[in-house]
Amino acid sequence: MMNLHETYMRRCLDLALLGAGSVAPNPMVGAVLVFENRIIGEGYHQQYGQAHAEVNCLNAVKQEDQPFISQSTLYVSLEPCSHFGKTPPCTMLILKYGIPKVVIACQDPFPKVAGSGIEALKQAGVEVVVGVLEQAALALNKRFICFHQNKRPFIILKWAQTANGKIAGMGDERLMISNELTNRLVHRWRSEEAAILVGFNTALKDNPRLDNRYWQGNASIRMVIDRDLSLPSHLHLMDGSQRTIVWNQVNNHTAPNLDHVLIDVDKDTIEQILTASYQMGIQSVIVEGGAALLQDFIDKGYWDEARVISNQQLSIDAGLDAPVLKQAKQFHSEQIQTDSILYFHPSVQV
């Protein structure tokens, strides 16, 4: 029976993934309703503030199959909510339809749920199975889970380097390392995260837009560290095209799409950024440079994933050394033309 459970839960996870980039700060969730080994309804959380997966799943049941709902098993990739938020509790909906059995991949770490949804169903006499493909479900919502468990955003480090380990040249001219197809992938990555962070020198020398113009989806919040507010106003980051946070030691000031957020010169900058980001509800940050900022995150153990792009056909005689990962374990790789992309996570949890 567990094989069937896993089959239907895998479908839940595939559905949940369709909400990537659109549901944060909510988790990605998929749901499947099964009657006598036949899927009669399925759905996923499509947009933040709109219907949850369970609602969309039940709404998808055809008229002729609705009499079977009260004899079906509901599979859901995350514990159904039991509190009133932007939508009513999904546990109430499950009980309303008289669904006798619910199979759940993992418990919700959100404090307002955190087991209460499972308990509410059990108290009402619903048979509840928890833990089917649990690790896959936890990995799917790693940002959401990290945010609520660690009280900080999920941190992704990303950089591109030459075949001989250089992240930039010695001059002021920007070194283009990754190819066009990889750049599209990077823009997809950006669309999946809540914010993008760069340091002062990267903003000044590269003048990045930090947008996802080569990919559809929501624009991330742009972040830059500019302690003395000395970055020139003509930079793309200052154009007001999307929300931008400037971490500085001068003042708190808000303009259209531009927030100056004060940090304390006597306290650790990264820790302050992570704490303030958590308080703002920012669930994930992709750090794109420069080398010193990336290395600072690595040295302090504030990272959850690293994505390293290496152009295997490009070497330069002299340049800025790429960051050095510590206590890292590779878990995935891919090749895009000249670019090799390696994915790492920490081998030791800090």
Side-chain angles (χ1 to χ4, degrees):
M1 190 61 184
M2 281 302 293
N3 286 336
L4 278 177
H5 280 349
E6 291 178 1
T7 297
Y8 294 128
M9 191 60 73
R10 176 59 60 189
R11 178 57 181 164
C12 288
L13 295 173
D14 289 343
L15 288 166
L17 193 57
L18 297 175
S22 300
V23 301
N26 283 353
M28 294 176 282
V29 184
V32 171
L33 190 66
V34 178
F35 173 71
E36 295 184 347
N37 296 330
R38 179 171 65 91
I39 294 176
I40 62 172
E42 60 180 29
Y44 66 98
H45 186 30
Q46 299 179 14
Q47 190 75 39
Y48 173 68
Q50 296 183 11
H52 287 187
E54 297 92 329
V55 176
N56 289 329
C57 174
L58 290 164
N59 286 343
V61 178
K62 295 178 180 179
Q63 186 73 32
E64 60 267 29
D65 286 329
Q66 288 184 6
F68 305 131
I69 294 177
S70 61
Q71 304 167 58
S72 299
T73 297
L74 178 66
Y75 291 82
V76 60
S77 60
L78 189 71
E79 176 185 4
C81 63
S82 56
H83 67 288
F84 282 89
K86 288 187 174 293
T87 60
C90 290
T91 51
M92 289 179 57
L93 185 70
I94 293 168
L95 297 178
K96 174 186 173 183
Y97 275 93
I99 297 171
K101 185 173 182 177
V102 178
V103 180
I104 299 166
C106 64
Q107 183 175 305
D108 190 335
F110 184 52
K112 290 185 178 179
V113 184
S116 63
I118 293 169
E119 187 60 30
L121 293 174
K122 287 182 176 179
Q123 289 292 329
V126 176
E127 181 185 352
V128 180
V129 177
V130 183
V132 177
L133 296 185
E134 181 178 28
Q135 291 307 309
L138 290 171
L140 177 71
N141 280 309
K142 56 192 176 185
R143 299 161 182 83
F144 179 79
I145 291 167
C146 173
F147 182 81
H148 289 291
Q149 289 186 343
N150 300 332
K151 310 300 182 187
R152 66 163 174 81
F154 186 88
I155 303 299
I156 298 172
L157 309 180
K158 168 262 166 184
W159 70 85
Q161 62 187 31
T162 63
N164 60 335
K166 304 298 181 182
I167 199 171
M170 297 303 293
D172 291 333
E173 186 175 347
R174 185 175 184 180
L175 178 64
M176 305 303 293
I177 298 176
S178 52
N179 62 54
E180 290 185 5
L181 287 179
T182 303
N183 288 340
R184 290 185 180 275
L185 175 62
V186 170
H187 281 231
R188 191 190 87 186
W189 291 347
R190 289 176 177 176
S191 74
E192 294 169 350
E193 310 310 329
I196 311 166
L197 173 67
V198 295
F200 178 88
N201 288 332
T202 298
L204 186 63
K205 288 182 63 176
D206 294 349
N207 190 19
R209 289 184 172 87
L210 298 187
D211 59 16
N212 56 306
R213 61 192 179 278
Y214 299 140
W215 196 266
Q216 73 279 8
N218 297 326
S220 304
I221 299 169
R222 304 183 297 192
M223 295 179 172
V224 61
I225 301 172
D226 181 11
R227 290 181 171 84
D228 302 319
L229 293 183
S230 55
L231 285 173
S233 59
H234 66 76
L235 295 179
H236 293 308
L237 289 178
M238 305 302 171
D239 63 11
S241 62
Q242 62 197 74
R243 185 184 173 194
T244 303
I245 295 174
V246 182
W247 304 102
N248 73 96
Q249 297 167 353
V250 179
N251 64 47
N252 282 311
H253 175 70
T254 299
N257 265 354
L258 189 63
D259 297 330
H260 293 92
V261 179
L262 199 62
I263 54 177
D264 190 335
V265 66
D266 295 321
K267 296 180 180 179
D268 184 83
T269 297
I270 290 178
E271 290 183 2
Q272 291 181 79
I273 289 174
L274 296 183
T275 298
S277 295
Y278 173 76
Q279 293 169 347
M280 294 177 192
I282 297 171
Q283 284 194 1
S284 62
V285 178
I286 183 166
V287 184
E288 294 203 14
L293 180 62
L294 287 160
Q295 194 65 58
D296 202 16
F297 271 88
I298 294 168
D299 292 344
K300 290 171 180 170
Y302 285 126
W303 65 285
D304 303 286
E305 192 173 304
R307 302 169 183 176
V308 182
I309 303 164
S310 298
N311 186 331
Q312 298 173 323
Q313 295 184 12
L314 174 65
S315 294
I316 57 176
D317 293 332
L320 182 64
D321 288 337
V324 178
L325 279 174
K326 302 174 181 178
Q327 296 179 322
K329 182 178 181 180
Q330 182 183 327
F331 67 90
H332 183 61
S333 66
E334 59 185 311
Q335 188 76 31
I336 301 180
Q337 294 178 341
T338 58
D339 294 337
S340 170
I341 307 174
L342 302 182
Y343 296 74
F344 301 88
H345 57 63
S347 56
V348 177
Q349 295 297 321
V350 178

